[in-house]
Amino acid sequence: MLTNTNEALLIGKVEKLSGVPIRTIRYYESLGLIRSAGRTDGGFRYFSEDIFTRLSFIKRAQRLGLSLQEIADVLQIYDGGKAPCDKIQHKLEDKISQIDQQIDDLLKLQGELKRLLLGWKSFSNKPNDIICPNIQ
């Protein structure tokens, strides 16, 4: 993914080398997650090679369930000269708690659906004021 030169990378080349679409790169820049190194005389954005480290981090953090706002918070700590690992650890622990709650909620829903289906009745005639008596 990284090139071995110190050349400024135009946004199209960043897209090609990182696999991150130009539109997404621009969006990340608008959120402050990444910064261009400047603009060419023609007004095109260019980036330094550290863009790949940031894009890779952003994508990995998203896959782990962090929101872009949470990622922005972490990058702000990093950009301030501190290691954000403790903050990331707390965020990931929070994600585990959220997942545990979602699993509990889904298991409750599954139980409710199974109980509902155990007593399921078929109706050949359309009920008057009820769409489906089994679930109302």
Side-chain angles (χ1 to χ4, degrees):
M1 183 184 322
L2 293 176
T3 62
N4 290 327
T5 66
N6 288 328
E7 70 181 77
L9 301 160
L10 295 177
I11 196 168
K13 187 158 189 172
V14 172
E15 175 189 41
K16 183 178 178 183
L17 294 173
S18 69
V20 177
I22 289 174
R23 187 176 187 160
T24 302
I25 294 168
R26 288 182 181 138
Y27 181 61
Y28 289 169
E29 186 178 22
S30 75
L31 295 177
L33 299 174
I34 61 173
R35 288 182 212 93
S36 65
R39 295 204 179 237
T40 65
D41 291 337
F44 296 103
R45 290 172 178 86
Y46 66 88
F47 297 87
S48 61
E49 288 198 20
D50 68 347
I51 189 69
F52 298 112
T53 301
R54 288 183 84 94
L55 290 173
S56 177
F57 174 80
I58 293 165
K59 288 305 187 185
R60 176 70 172 140
Q62 283 183 304
R63 284 191 301 274
L64 292 173
L66 297 181
S67 69
L68 291 177
Q69 182 57 57
E70 290 170 318
I71 294 167
D73 294 344
V74 168
L75 289 172
Q76 187 175 16
I77 293 168
Y78 176 78
D79 292 340
K82 297 180 182 173
C85 293
D86 289 343
K87 179 82 165 180
I88 294 170
Q89 179 184 6
H90 293 297
K91 288 188 179 293
L92 295 179
E93 288 168 347
D94 289 345
K95 291 295 169 195
I96 289 172
S97 295
Q98 291 171 6
I99 290 168
D100 287 341
Q101 183 60 54
Q102 288 174 332
I103 289 169
D104 288 345
D105 293 346
L106 287 170
L107 288 171
K108 288 176 188 171
L109 177 59
Q110 181 188 47
E112 182 180 348
L113 292 171
K114 285 181 177 182
R115 286 188 298 281
L116 181 67
L117 289 172
L118 281 175
W120 198 262
K121 296 180 180 137
S122 293
F123 294 88
S124 56
N125 296 328
K126 176 182 153 189
N128 287 336
D129 294 333
I130 299 173
I131 295 171
C132 179
N134 290 303
I135 63 171
Q136 288 180 297

